[in-house]
Amino acid sequence: QVQLVESGGGLVQPGGSLRLSCAASGRIVNIYTWAWYRQTPGKQRDLVAYLTSSGTANYVDSVKGRFTISGDNAKNTMSLQMNNLKPEDTAIYYCNIDARPTTPDDPLTYWGQGTQVTVSS
């Protein structure tokens, strides 16, 4: 079973930058979308950014101009570059891949375990 592993989280001061990475343990066939979500205690998991199979990136308004999502299917990795971080960006960040598998034995959705991002002075 293919798993997603996130890395790159940590503590950063406001205005700083972090780059989150997500690596698949194996190849995921026929990826439909790449996405990053975030969640704070007591709140639902919210979509932050996603990348379509055609290469179009989409972002929630609060991160536009600051975050950049990217994916590399050949390397089975995805990233979220976060610049000019704000305290309200503090959350656990999760990577997500939706797929359209060719066999019912393969899952439709993959999730990482989450990585903590804390923005504080």
Side-chain angles (χ1 to χ4, degrees):
Q1 188 71 232
V2 174
Q3 296 179 326
L4 303 183
V5 180
E6 294 136 325
S7 62
L11 175 64
V12 65
Q13 294 183 339
S17 298
L18 286 173
R19 185 176 180 86
L20 306 183
S21 297
C22 176
S25 62
R27 180 166 296 279
I28 299 175
V29 178
N30 200 19
I31 293 174
Y32 189 66
T33 59
W34 313 71
W36 287 93
Y37 290 75
R38 65 186 180 188
Q39 185 172 22
T40 56
K43 297 183 178 180
Q44 68 179 24
R45 188 173 299 180
D46 295 323
L47 178 66
V48 177
Y50 70 95
L51 184 68
T52 69
S53 58
S54 63
T56 300
N58 300 270
Y59 304 90
V60 67
D61 287 343
S62 60
V63 308
K64 286 182 178 178
R66 300 188 297 119
F67 290 12
T68 303
I69 185 173
S70 62
D72 189 336
N73 187 253
K75 297 184 179 297
N76 298 311
T77 60
M78 61 186 297
S79 299
L80 184 69
Q81 178 66 46
M82 305 185 295
N83 298 324
N84 191 25
L85 283 161
K86 303 176 180 180
E88 51 263 43
D89 294 320
T90 296
I92 300 175
Y93 285 72
Y94 300 86
C95 60
N96 165 265
I97 293 176
D98 282 345
R100 297 295 182 266
T102 57
T103 171
D105 293 333
D106 294 325
L108 296 171
T109 302
Y110 299 80
W111 287 96
Q113 82 287 351
T115 185
Q116 177 70 49
V117 172
T118 302
V119 185
S120 176
S121 60

